[in-house]
Amino acid sequence: MITFEGVTKRYPGGTVALDDVSLECPTGRITVFVGTSGGGKTTALRTINRMVEPTSGRVLIDGEDVREKRPAELRRGIGYVIQHAGLFPHRTIEDNIATVPYLLGWNKKKARERALELMERVGLDRTMAKRYPFQLSGGQQQRVGVARALAADPPVMLMDEPFSAVDPVVRAELQDEFLRLQDELHKTIVFVTHDIDEAIKLGDKIAVFQTGGKLVQVDSPEDLLAHPADDFVAGFIGQNRGIRTLSFATTSGLRLSDDAVRPGSAAAADAAGLDWVLVVDDERRPLGWTRPAGVEGTLAEARLDPVGATFRVGADSVRVALDAAVLSPAGLAVGVDGDGAVVGTAAGTDLLAVPTHGSSGPEDDG
Amino acid sequence: MDIDWAWIGDHRDTLTEHALIHLRLALLPVVFGLLISLPLGVLCRRWGWLYPPTLTIANVLYAIPSLALFMIFIQYTGLTASTVMIPLTLYSLSVLVPNVVDGLASVSEPVRQAATAMGFGPLRRLLRVELPIAVPIVIAGTRVAAVSSISLVAVGQLIGQGGLGYDIIRGYQLQFQTQIVAATVLIVLLALITDALLVTLQRVLTPWARARGRAA
């Protein structure tokens, strides 16, 4: 666990970057520092590995004051990932990843073996080992950055806007893989971002910083969305926090209807009473939507509209299901199981009837 | 212009000897210049206020005519090679110091921070990260310094230490064009070869920079 005890950072000019911050970042969890620029979130992160020394207060890792170790020694035990990866341009990918093992005096063979193992872990092809950073895309460089931070298997990882400089598609990919990785590794992670969506997606716990280095709220993503502490937090979370709350509602208890689901071999006339029908194949995989009215013969002969987005029952949130419903021509979200077979459909209004963790009170601070 | 090819053939050994002396007189100062510029550049980079006065001094030194510097050092080092090499060393600083500083400045902030956060101490970071990344720019400066030094050495013949400069002055005194042309061509050749070797050295030392050039 990382503990901040009344940490204040005041610069000689009088600027206060951190104002009496007290906070706990639980072991094995992702704590996200989020806030406006100038809010002190990066400063707070850097007090952990002593790249910033607090004016007063102290930072402890598992009860031990970080000032008890020499900075270089402390830092070799803490993974660090930054925005533009900060890879060493003059070192190959494997040597970049093996940086900390080399500093710790591992022999070259063992360090490189570890690097190759990590490349696989973060989804990089082993053939890239001998390349130089400039030969990789931004997303690949960021993966190397993550692998480098993991190389000596540090229990603590600090991540300073690691995914901000890549395009949205790659960012979502990196976030998903990061969560998958964390599921296996259970590191104690402090993650800085200015993107509230990223904070909600990744954080087990979110700490909101306000300009002037004040910590205004520390909560789980659900509670943060449901009960913002003040106008600043509510404003920072943005307009869509109602919809965002649905991200935490599970689709596992959802009642799905089978009424509109028909195999392609069924006669169109049998479904004539329905506005829309979801046509499925022999394994119940969705083929497309169609209006049965006026169609001769079987449904398979009808003109099909694409199914579009589906949601995985149990695995995806209500927000994903609602998105699928809105985008579906029939206004119905298609729920599928792990094999992609249709479980049933749900209308948008059914989805909103699901109780969400955050909808307990009518309070609205905005 | 008549070239006496037979004379060149007869004097191949002397010309070679003069060329080697020439090279030594020209390149040792560049090596010394690098040995001075590297720590000086590192200090200028660390304490920014040091850089403007250092650069001014280096440039003022460069503005002093070589002849004047020879006259100054001749009092201390006499008619020796040192009297030629000390001014050339000082001249090289005006190119090499800014190149070392620029080279170190070419290390991006994220790279510097990452190095610190990985647990490099200041000295190790300088030797393993910052200086290696500065190499392409330092070598670029070294090429300029080496080539200009090779052409400047000839002046050293004024105090009897000029390498191929001897053949230029001797040829002038005897009104013998062949000797002047042969020495001049050799000096240009030495400069070209040295430059080519430095380019090769840079490619070998910094494959990452060569590849970057290709990709850009």
Side-chain angles (χ1 to χ4, degrees):
Chain A
M1 184 165 67
I2 301 167
T3 315
F4 287 74
E5 286 183 357
V7 175
T8 295
K9 176 66 184 177
R10 195 175 290 109
Y11 286 103
T15 319
V16 176
L18 288 175
D19 188 359
D20 194 22
V21 170
S22 294
L23 163 77
E24 283 178 354
C25 308
T27 302
R29 294 305 180 90
I30 302 172
T31 304
V32 179
F33 291 0
V34 71
T36 45
S37 53
K41 50 195 193 295
T42 295
T43 310
L45 180 90
R46 290 185 181 172
T47 58
I48 300 170
N49 71 353
R50 296 188 65 186
M51 284 173 78
V52 170
E53 300 281 4
T55 315
S56 62
R58 48 185 204 150
V59 180
L60 309 139
I61 297 178
D62 293 329
E64 193 188 346
D65 194 322
V66 293
R67 279 172 297 194
E68 278 168 31
K69 279 187 186 164
R70 287 188 305 111
E73 189 195 343
L74 172 79
R75 289 170 191 155
R76 286 171 204 169
I78 299 177
Y80 192 78
V81 189
I82 49 176
Q83 189 172 6
H84 293 281
L87 301 182
F88 303 131
H90 62 301
R91 291 192 173 181
T92 58
I93 300 309
E94 62 179 356
D95 285 343
N96 258 287
I97 296 173
T99 300
V100 180
Y102 288 153
L103 285 172
L104 291 172
W106 295 20
N107 71 50
K108 202 158 191 165
K109 188 162 171 277
K110 187 179 160 208
R112 286 197 164 160
E113 265 166 24
R114 173 72 178 151
L116 287 174
E117 180 194 319
L118 278 165
M119 286 181 71
E120 249 162 45
R121 212 153 195 172
V122 300
L124 289 168
D125 203 278
R126 271 168 180 256
T127 55
M128 289 179 178
K130 302 285 181 199
R131 293 198 199 161
Y132 288 97
F134 78 94
Q135 292 167 303
L136 270 54
S137 69
Q140 289 169 333
Q141 291 191 20
Q142 210 48 264
R143 284 167 204 261
V144 177
V146 173
R148 183 174 63 175
L150 288 169
D153 202 19
V156 174
M157 296 251 287
L158 308 180
M159 308 182 78
D160 191 357
E161 307 220 14
F163 308 141
S164 306
V166 292
D167 68 68
V169 176
V170 175
R171 188 183 315 149
E173 230 174 79
L174 289 172
Q175 289 168 342
D176 290 338
E177 286 181 35
F178 168 65
L179 286 175
R180 177 182 54 72
L181 210 58
Q182 169 65 355
D183 268 349
E184 299 167 17
L185 301 175
H186 304 292
K187 300 287 182 194
T188 305
I189 294 173
V190 180
F191 191 108
V192 167
T193 180
H194 60 262
D195 176 357
I196 187 70
D197 283 312
E198 185 168 66
I200 289 167
K201 180 171 178 181
L202 303 180
D204 294 309
K205 192 170 177 181
I206 298 179
V208 186
F209 286 80
Q210 192 174 357
T211 312
K214 280 199 185 61
L215 182 58
V216 280
Q217 186 169 7
V218 186
D219 251 321
S220 68
E222 295 92 323
D223 288 338
L224 188 76
L225 286 170
H227 313 288
D230 61 14
D231 288 352
F232 172 78
V233 179
F236 191 75
I237 294 168
Q239 300 297 322
N240 304 321
R241 68 186 174 93
I243 295 286
R244 288 203 176 106
T245 311
L246 295 176
S247 302
F248 302 102
T250 165
T251 50
S252 55
L254 209 59
R255 272 198 305 278
L256 297 172
S257 160
D258 207 28
D259 292 351
V261 184
R262 299 293 159 90
S265 55
D270 293 347
L274 293 165
D275 198 12
W276 285 93
V277 166
L278 178 67
V279 184
V280 295
D281 66 11
D282 295 344
E283 274 141 8
R284 281 185 70 87
R285 271 191 274 274
L287 296 172
W289 288 99
T290 191
R291 289 172 179 278
V295 175
E296 308 273 329
T298 66
L299 286 166
E301 294 160 45
R303 197 182 62 84
L304 297 178
D305 284 341
V307 179
T310 59
F311 71 95
R312 276 183 60 187
V313 179
D316 282 327
S317 69
V318 171
R319 188 178 178 181
V320 176
L322 188 63
D323 196 53
V326 172
L327 294 175
S328 151
L332 296 169
V334 178
V336 296
D337 64 17
D339 300 321
V342 173
V343 179
T345 64
T349 46
D350 300 332
L351 294 168
L352 294 177
V354 171
T356 59
H357 177 79
S359 62
S360 50
E363 87 280 7
D364 190 350
D365 306 87
Chain B
M1 191 159 63
D2 290 325
I3 298 291
D4 184 347
W5 294 103
W7 182 89
I8 293 175
D10 291 345
H11 293 80
R12 216 170 14 196
D13 289 349
T14 0
L15 284 172
T16 309
E17 193 197 329
H18 290 172
L20 290 176
I21 293 170
H22 193 102
L23 216 49
R24 180 171 160 274
L25 287 171
L27 296 186
L28 273 180
V30 177
V31 173
F32 295 140
L34 269 175
L35 291 179
I36 296 168
S37 301
L38 282 171
L40 212 53
V42 168
L43 293 178
C44 287
R45 179 74 194 147
R46 176 143 303 173
W47 292 291
W49 56 267
L50 210 64
Y51 187 37
T54 307
L55 193 59
T56 305
I57 292 169
N59 284 336
V60 166
L61 283 172
Y62 193 68
I64 303 174
S66 49
L67 194 53
L69 281 178
F70 292 161
M71 292 312 133
I72 293 169
F73 285 106
I74 217 164
Q75 302 171 44
Y76 306 99
T77 45
L79 295 175
T80 63
S82 302
T83 306
V84 178
M85 289 198 282
I86 293 170
L88 288 178
T89 303
L90 295 176
Y91 286 160
S92 75
L93 300 183
S94 73
V95 179
L96 293 176
V97 171
N99 269 273
V100 172
V101 172
D102 291 350
L104 291 172
S106 75
V107 182
S108 74
E109 199 46 40
V111 167
R112 216 185 301 276
Q113 275 178 22
T116 306
M118 296 290 127
F120 283 88
L123 182 65
R124 218 198 280 236
R125 187 180 76 174
L126 177 70
L127 296 178
R128 301 263 188 90
V129 179
E130 293 173 313
L131 283 175
I133 293 174
V135 163
I137 293 176
V138 173
I139 290 187
T142 308
R143 287 171 60 190
V144 176
V147 168
S148 82
S149 189
I150 287 170
S151 88
L152 274 171
V153 160
V155 186
Q157 192 52 41
L158 293 170
I159 58 159
Q161 299 281 350
L164 288 162
Y166 167 86
D167 296 282
I168 294 176
I169 289 183
R170 191 74 187 145
Y172 176 74
Q173 287 166 344
L174 299 176
Q175 290 296 304
F176 181 47
Q177 275 191 345
T178 300
Q179 199 167 2
I180 298 173
V181 171
T184 308
V185 168
L186 278 175
I187 289 171
V188 171
L189 274 178
L190 287 180
L192 287 175
I193 292 166
T194 305
D195 194 52
L197 286 176
L198 283 171
V199 171
T200 312
L201 179 72
Q202 195 227 306
R203 291 188 173 211
V204 172
L205 284 182
T206 63
W208 53 275
R210 173 176 44 162
R212 178 165 55 192
R214 197 170 52 216

